[in-house]
Amino acid sequence: MGTPKPRILPWLISQLDQGHIEGVAWLDAQHLRFRIPWKHHLRQDAKQEDFRIFQAWAEVSGAYNPEKDKPDPPTWKRNFRSALNRKDVLHVVQDNSKDPVDPHKVYEFVTPGIMDFPDWDPSPDPNDKGSTLDTQEDILEDLLNDMALGPVPEAAPSGLAMAPEQPPPPFMPNPVAEVCAVGQNPAPLANPLRHLLIPEDEWEFEVTAFYRGRQVFQQAVYSRRGLQLVGSETADGTLPGPRIVLPDPEAMLRDKVAVDYVRRVLSSLGGGLALWRTGQQLWAQRLGHCATFWVTGEEQLPSGTHGEVPKDRGDIVFNLGPFVADLIAFIEGSRHSPRYTLWFCIGQPWPQDEPWTKRLLMVKVVPTCLRALLDMARVGGASSLETVDLHISNSVPLTLTSDQYKAYLQDLVEDMDYLVEGSLNY
């Protein structure tokens, strides 16, 4: 028989009344509002004292035995937060977890009679490690919040990845990710979605080409850094990463005039169109004389605000941070579906007043891991999500509940914010 564990609300109230843990305190005379320290474990100024309330709950609930278990502050905090999130009588009224000086959260009781709960849960925990639900709602939050931990310069927008003043060149080492190794130990890879941030892991890109609206090519490639679209086998191949040679149009099109024009575009590609990954961003640069325009749109429709791919430098065409934030909002009921498909119009202006199918050469690039993330979110409401392969090297297919998936995404946001902030302080 397992040992019955206390219910979290009576236990927490007792901790607040005693006032023995620094930073855990009531904020009003009615004892309805209280604060909990909420420092991230990867902060350079993090110390054991910052996680005492989480450790205390892990010990009393049977999820942590200091005599035989290794300390695990992220899991302690995750279980604590999830246990509180499941209580209808309680909600977060202030989230100051990103405060560089005093990170904390403020909770408030919203239902009278909070002291009427029995102190102990009569149902034993079958594994004495805390319930599975204790981790489901919080793994995602940790992933998202791990992304911004240190002080942010005043000019830096909170929670968003910032482009450096000089964009990194194609396929060069990733300074954003490498900052994790400077002055601190890397966090354990407990969250499978963290593979999205590892520069050594390959992403799968699905590349589709259209000549005058007709699909003429499709290929899926794994690449650690990126890829290069070229018009012929003789194009410069000195850059690392796979080269994708677009096909000759003669076998694809009947219109001889269109064939001639497409060939002209392909010959003007020169060194091609380079697309590469740096940290949580995708960058693009054209290496030839052929003007190229891009947009992040739907998989079936290249609509949205477009920009031009520069020739002399790289430019950001996708940022994982806003995508994951939009994905969480989508799971929570937002009608806006996050966009992840990159469309490139090569050799002509972006199609604004006519169908895109009239353009000579359009290329669609889909990071398949992002498609998989959205597919998982669209299963919202189901008790269990189907097994999904994220198409990242070293990753395994995931079978998650909806709560687990949301928690993993939230964790990923924290990781991304931390990496961005670390790069700014480096």
Side-chain angles (χ1 to χ4, degrees), residues 57-65 69 76 79 125 128-130 134:
W57 172 245
E59 290 184 18
V60 75
S61 64
Y64 171 65
N65 184 338
D69 296 331
W76 299 340
N79 290 350
D125 189 339
D128 285 336
K129 290 294 183 180
D134 283 344

Side-chain angles (χ1 to χ4, degrees), residues 234-264:
T234 60
D236 180 14
T238 58
L239 292 176
R243 288 196 311 156
I244 297 178
V245 181
L246 299 175
D248 186 271
E250 186 170 11
M252 311 293 178
L253 302 176
R254 295 182 179 179
D255 186 336
K256 299 302 180 181
V257 175
V259 168
D260 181 59
Y261 278 115
V262 171
R263 280 179 172 169
R264 293 186 188 182

Side-chain angles (χ1 to χ4, degrees), residues 1-4 122-126 128:
M1 294 290 292
T3 303
S123 59
D125 189 339
D128 285 336

